[in-house]
Amino acid sequence: MDVEPSAYLQDQIHLGDWNISAGLRFDHYGFAVHESAWSPRLAVSRYISRWNLLLHASYDRVFQTPAVENLLLASSPQLNSLDPVVLRLPVRPARGNYYEGGATKSIYGKLRIDANIFRRDFHNFPDDDTLLDTGISFPIAFSRAHIFGEEVRVEVPQWGRFSGFLSYANQVAVGNGPINGGLFLGSDAAGALSDTSQFTVSQDQRNTLRARVRFQAERRVWFALSSEYGSGLPAELADDTDVNSCWLSMVPPF
Protein backbone atom coordinates (compact mmCIF):
# COMPACT_ATOMS: atom_id res chain seq x y z
CA MET A 1 0.00 0.00 0.00
CA ASP A 2 1.39 3.40 -1.03
CA VAL A 3 1.22 5.93 1.83
CA GLU A 4 2.34 9.52 1.15
CA PRO A 5 1.02 12.03 3.74
CA SER A 6 2.25 15.64 3.62
CA ALA A 7 1.69 18.98 5.31
CA TYR A 8 2.99 22.50 4.78
CA LEU A 9 2.98 26.02 6.17
CA GLN A 10 3.50 29.16 4.09
CA ASP A 11 3.31 32.90 4.63
CA GLN A 12 4.02 36.16 2.80
CA ILE A 13 5.53 39.36 4.16
CA HIS A 14 5.34 42.78 2.47
CA LEU A 15 7.93 45.35 3.58
CA GLY A 16 7.75 48.41 1.36
CA ASP A 17 9.17 47.42 -2.02
CA TRP A 18 10.19 44.01 -0.67
CA ASN A 19 8.09 40.85 -0.84
CA ILE A 20 9.12 37.70 1.05
CA SER A 21 7.44 34.31 0.78
CA ALA A 22 8.58 31.51 3.09
CA GLY A 23 7.31 28.02 3.71
CA LEU A 24 8.11 24.62 5.17
CA ARG A 25 6.77 21.28 3.91
CA PHE A 26 6.88 17.81 5.45
CA ASP A 27 6.57 14.64 3.35
CA HIS A 28 6.54 10.97 4.26
CA TYR A 29 6.91 8.18 1.71
CA GLY A 30 6.00 4.61 2.55
CA PHE A 31 5.94 1.99 -0.18
CA ALA A 32 8.99 -0.06 -1.18
CA VAL A 33 11.06 2.05 1.25
CA HIS A 34 10.11 4.43 4.06
CA GLU A 35 11.60 7.92 4.21
CA SER A 36 10.59 11.39 5.43
CA ALA A 37 11.88 14.87 4.64
CA TRP A 38 11.49 18.54 5.59
CA SER A 39 11.56 20.93 2.62
CA PRO A 40 12.07 24.66 3.27
CA ARG A 41 11.15 27.22 0.61
CA LEU A 42 12.08 30.89 0.35
CA ALA A 43 11.39 33.53 -2.33
CA VAL A 44 12.43 37.20 -2.19
CA SER A 45 11.59 39.98 -4.64
CA ARG A 46 12.34 43.72 -4.77
CA TYR A 47 10.62 46.31 -6.96
CA ILE A 48 12.70 49.35 -7.94
CA SER A 49 10.16 51.94 -9.04
CA ARG A 50 12.55 54.49 -10.54
CA TRP A 51 13.83 51.85 -12.97
CA ASN A 52 10.48 50.05 -13.34
CA LEU A 53 12.40 46.87 -12.52
CA LEU A 54 11.48 43.77 -10.49
CA LEU A 55 14.28 41.54 -9.12
CA HIS A 56 13.55 38.12 -7.64
CA ALA A 57 15.34 35.05 -6.29
CA SER A 58 14.13 31.78 -4.79
CA TYR A 59 15.25 28.51 -3.23
CA ASP A 60 13.22 25.27 -2.96
CA ARG A 61 14.13 22.00 -1.30
CA VAL A 62 12.39 19.15 -3.17
CA PHE A 63 11.43 15.62 -2.09
CA GLN A 64 10.39 13.62 -5.18
CA THR A 65 9.00 10.10 -4.74
CA PRO A 66 9.72 7.34 -7.30
CA ALA A 67 7.25 6.50 -10.04
CA VAL A 68 4.95 3.73 -8.86
CA GLU A 69 4.70 1.96 -12.24
CA ASN A 70 6.02 -1.61 -11.91
CA LEU A 71 7.98 -0.66 -8.79
CA LEU A 72 6.87 -3.83 -6.97
CA LEU A 73 7.68 -5.92 -10.04
CA ALA A 74 11.28 -4.71 -9.96
CA SER A 75 11.45 -5.73 -6.28
CA SER A 76 10.04 -9.23 -6.84
CA PRO A 77 12.48 -12.13 -6.18
CA GLN A 78 10.67 -14.16 -8.86
CA LEU A 79 12.61 -12.19 -11.49
CA ASN A 80 15.76 -14.07 -10.40
CA SER A 81 14.69 -16.88 -12.72
CA LEU A 82 15.24 -14.65 -15.78
CA ASP A 83 19.00 -14.37 -15.32
CA PRO A 84 21.54 -15.82 -12.87
CA VAL A 85 23.14 -12.38 -12.39
CA VAL A 86 20.73 -9.97 -10.70
CA LEU A 87 21.31 -6.58 -9.06
CA ARG A 88 18.34 -5.25 -7.11
CA LEU A 89 18.64 -1.92 -5.26
CA PRO A 90 15.77 -0.12 -3.48
CA VAL A 91 14.62 2.99 -5.36
CA ARG A 92 14.72 5.83 -2.85
CA PRO A 93 13.03 9.24 -3.24
CA ALA A 94 15.04 11.95 -4.98
CA ARG A 95 16.14 15.04 -3.05
CA GLY A 96 16.83 18.24 -4.90
CA ASN A 97 17.82 21.84 -4.38
CA TYR A 98 16.27 24.39 -6.77
CA TYR A 99 17.84 27.83 -7.20
CA GLU A 100 16.44 30.59 -9.41
CA GLY A 101 17.05 34.28 -9.97
CA GLY A 102 15.82 36.79 -12.49
CA ALA A 103 14.51 40.20 -13.41
CA THR A 104 11.49 41.75 -15.12
CA LYS A 105 11.79 45.13 -16.85
CA SER A 106 8.96 47.20 -18.32
CA ILE A 107 9.80 49.81 -20.98
CA TYR A 108 7.29 52.65 -21.43
CA GLY A 109 4.43 50.23 -20.77
CA LYS A 110 4.81 48.85 -24.32
CA LEU A 111 7.54 46.28 -23.88
CA ARG A 112 8.33 43.79 -21.12
CA ILE A 113 11.56 41.80 -20.77
CA ASP A 114 11.85 38.75 -18.50
CA ALA A 115 15.19 37.06 -17.84
CA ASN A 116 15.80 34.09 -15.53
CA ILE A 117 18.64 31.74 -14.64
CA PHE A 118 18.17 28.52 -12.68
CA ARG A 119 20.00 25.50 -11.32
CA ARG A 120 18.66 22.19 -9.95
CA ASP A 121 20.86 19.71 -8.07
CA PHE A 122 19.54 16.18 -7.47
CA HIS A 123 20.60 13.19 -5.37
CA ASN A 124 19.05 9.81 -6.26
CA PHE A 125 18.06 11.26 -9.64
CA PRO A 126 14.97 9.39 -11.00
CA ASP A 127 14.90 7.72 -14.41
CA ASP A 128 13.39 4.59 -15.94
CA ASP A 129 14.58 1.41 -17.65
CA THR A 130 12.99 -1.50 -19.52
CA LEU A 131 12.94 -5.18 -18.63
CA LEU A 132 15.17 -6.96 -21.17
CA ASP A 133 13.74 -6.22 -24.66
CA THR A 134 10.13 -5.85 -23.55
CA GLY A 135 7.90 -2.79 -23.22
CA ILE A 136 7.76 -3.19 -19.42
CA SER A 137 9.41 -0.20 -17.74
CA PHE A 138 10.26 0.42 -14.09
CA PRO A 139 11.92 3.24 -12.14
CA ILE A 140 15.65 3.44 -11.45
CA ALA A 141 17.85 6.08 -9.81
CA PHE A 142 21.31 7.51 -10.47
CA SER A 143 23.67 8.98 -7.93
CA ARG A 144 23.14 12.64 -8.87
CA ALA A 145 22.27 15.08 -11.65
CA HIS A 146 22.60 18.78 -12.35
CA ILE A 147 20.24 20.85 -14.51
CA PHE A 148 20.97 24.50 -15.28
CA GLY A 149 19.86 27.01 -17.86
CA GLU A 150 18.53 30.43 -18.71
CA GLU A 151 15.36 31.90 -20.19
CA VAL A 152 14.74 35.24 -21.91
CA ARG A 153 11.34 36.51 -23.05
CA VAL A 154 10.48 39.78 -24.80
CA GLU A 155 6.75 40.53 -24.83
CA VAL A 156 4.59 43.26 -26.34
CA PRO A 157 1.34 43.10 -24.29
CA GLN A 158 -0.47 45.59 -26.52
CA TRP A 159 0.82 47.96 -29.18
CA GLY A 160 -2.10 49.31 -31.15
CA ARG A 161 -3.74 46.26 -32.65
CA PHE A 162 -0.64 44.11 -32.28
CA SER A 163 0.62 41.92 -29.45
CA GLY A 164 3.10 39.09 -29.25
CA PHE A 165 6.28 37.69 -27.75
CA LEU A 166 9.68 36.19 -28.57
CA SER A 167 11.34 33.78 -26.13
CA TYR A 168 14.55 31.76 -25.97
CA ALA A 169 15.55 29.07 -23.45
CA ASN A 170 18.67 26.97 -23.01
CA GLN A 171 18.77 24.00 -20.65
CA VAL A 172 21.67 21.61 -19.97
CA ALA A 173 21.05 18.43 -17.92
CA VAL A 174 23.89 16.12 -16.92
CA GLY A 175 23.66 12.98 -14.77
CA ASN A 176 26.34 11.01 -12.95
CA GLY A 177 26.63 7.34 -12.04
CA PRO A 178 26.78 5.00 -10.33
CA ILE A 179 23.32 3.45 -10.13
CA ASN A 180 21.59 4.00 -6.78
CA GLY A 181 18.36 2.06 -7.31
CA GLY A 182 16.56 -0.28 -9.67
CA LEU A 183 16.70 -3.75 -11.17
CA PHE A 184 19.50 -4.88 -13.50
CA LEU A 185 20.13 -8.27 -15.08
CA GLY A 186 23.17 -9.87 -16.66
CA SER A 187 25.79 -7.58 -18.16
CA ASP A 188 23.86 -4.47 -17.04
CA ALA A 189 24.18 -5.59 -13.42
CA ALA A 190 27.93 -6.12 -13.69
CA GLY A 191 28.85 -2.49 -14.37
CA ALA A 192 26.00 -0.65 -12.67
CA LEU A 193 27.80 -0.04 -9.36
CA SER A 194 31.17 0.88 -10.87
CA ASP A 195 30.13 3.17 -13.74
CA THR A 196 30.62 6.76 -12.52
CA SER A 197 30.61 8.38 -15.96
CA GLN A 198 28.56 11.43 -16.93
CA PHE A 199 25.65 11.28 -19.38
CA THR A 200 22.98 13.57 -20.79
CA VAL A 201 19.56 13.05 -19.19
CA SER A 202 16.18 13.42 -20.89
CA GLN A 203 15.51 16.92 -19.48
CA ASP A 204 18.36 18.27 -21.60
CA GLN A 205 17.09 20.73 -24.22
CA ARG A 206 19.88 22.98 -25.46
CA ASN A 207 17.87 25.45 -27.50
CA THR A 208 14.18 26.32 -27.57
CA LEU A 209 12.87 29.32 -29.52
CA ARG A 210 9.22 30.46 -29.58
CA ALA A 211 7.51 33.41 -31.26
CA ARG A 212 3.92 34.60 -31.62
CA VAL A 213 2.28 37.65 -33.24
CA ARG A 214 -1.42 38.54 -32.94
CA PHE A 215 -3.37 41.16 -34.89
CA GLN A 216 -6.78 42.37 -33.69
CA ALA A 217 -8.62 43.10 -36.95
CA GLU A 218 -12.03 43.82 -35.40
CA ARG A 219 -13.51 43.56 -31.92
CA ARG A 220 -14.39 39.89 -32.43
CA VAL A 221 -11.93 39.01 -35.20
CA TRP A 222 -8.20 38.45 -34.73
CA PHE A 223 -5.38 36.66 -36.54
CA ALA A 224 -2.32 35.03 -35.00
CA LEU A 225 0.90 33.47 -36.27
CA SER A 226 3.18 31.37 -34.08
CA SER A 227 6.39 29.43 -34.56
CA GLU A 228 8.52 27.14 -32.39
CA TYR A 229 11.97 25.52 -32.72
CA GLY A 230 13.58 22.95 -30.44
CA SER A 231 17.02 21.40 -30.76
CA GLY A 232 15.70 18.00 -29.68
CA LEU A 233 16.05 15.66 -26.72
CA PRO A 234 19.01 13.29 -26.24
CA ALA A 235 18.75 9.66 -27.37
CA GLU A 236 21.09 6.68 -27.08
CA LEU A 237 22.03 5.10 -30.41
CA ALA A 238 24.04 1.98 -31.12
CA ASP A 239 27.47 2.37 -32.74
CA ASP A 240 26.25 0.96 -36.07
CA THR A 241 23.09 3.14 -36.27
CA ASP A 242 22.60 5.06 -39.52
CA VAL A 243 21.62 8.55 -38.33
CA ASN A 244 20.39 9.60 -41.80
CA SER A 245 17.95 6.68 -41.99
CA CYS A 246 16.63 7.55 -38.50
CA TRP A 247 15.95 11.11 -39.62
CA LEU A 248 14.18 9.99 -42.76
CA SER A 249 11.97 7.61 -40.78
CA MET A 250 10.63 10.55 -38.80
CA VAL A 251 9.49 12.43 -41.92
CA PRO A 252 5.83 11.54 -42.69
CA PRO A 253 5.06 10.23 -46.20
CA PHE A 254 3.32 12.55 -48.64
Side-chain angles (χ1 to χ4, degrees), residues 49-65:
S49 57
R50 65 179 180 275
W51 295 341
N52 210 6
L53 176 67
L54 177 67
L55 302 176
H56 60 87
S58 64
Y59 164 77
D60 290 338
R61 175 72 171 168
V62 177
F63 182 75
Q64 181 177 346
T65 59

Side-chain angles (χ1 to χ4, degrees), residues 2 4 29 31-32 64-75 91-94 124-129 137-141:
D2 184 12
E4 299 185 29
Y29 172 69
F31 191 46
Q64 181 177 346
T65 59
V68 73
E69 183 180 10
N70 294 323
L71 185 59
L72 292 180
L73 173 64
S75 305
V91 183
R92 300 172 54 198
N124 299 323
F125 180 72
D127 204 346
D128 61 84
D129 200 3
S137 64
F138 51 85
I140 63 174

Side-chain angles (χ1 to χ4, degrees), residues 148-248:
F148 49 92
E150 56 278 339
E151 302 169 332
V152 178
R153 178 184 173 103
V154 180
E155 183 177 0
V156 179
Q158 194 70 42
W159 199 324
R161 295 189 177 189
F162 288 92
S163 61
F165 71 87
L166 175 66
S167 67
Y168 170 76
N170 177 276
Q171 182 169 283
V172 179
V174 180
N176 279 87
I179 291 293
N180 269 12
L183 171 70
F184 300 90
L185 305 175
S187 59
D188 292 338
L193 295 177
S194 59
D195 186 1
T196 60
S197 60
Q198 290 188 343
F199 58 95
T200 303
V201 299
S202 57
Q203 285 86 342
D204 187 273
Q205 176 70 277
R206 298 302 171 92
N207 299 286
T208 303
L209 184 66
R210 296 184 176 93
R212 187 175 189 271
V213 177
R214 170 173 165 161
F215 174 71
Q216 190 74 40
E218 300 292 341
R219 191 177 68 172
R220 297 184 180 181
V221 179
W222 55 268
F223 303 93
L225 177 66
S226 62
S227 179
E228 180 175 343
Y229 165 79
S231 57
L233 300 176
E236 292 185 4
L237 300 176
D239 294 336
D240 57 350
T241 302
D242 186 347
V243 179
N244 292 327
S245 64
C246 292
W247 183 85
L248 289 174

Side-chain angles (χ1 to χ4, degrees), residues 61-114:
R61 175 72 171 168
V62 177
F63 182 75
Q64 181 177 346
T65 59
V68 73
E69 183 180 10
N70 294 323
L71 185 59
L72 292 180
L73 173 64
S75 305
S76 173
Q78 296 182 4
L79 290 177
N80 294 356
S81 60
L82 296 179
D83 197 288
V85 180
V86 179
L87 174 63
R88 183 183 291 103
L89 300 172
V91 183
R92 300 172 54 198
R95 301 172 187 261
N97 295 295
Y98 286 16
Y99 310 90
E100 183 173 341
T104 299
K105 169 71 174 176
S106 178
I107 301 177
Y108 300 114
K110 300 293 186 182
L111 189 69
R112 193 175 82 173
I113 302 175
D114 293 299

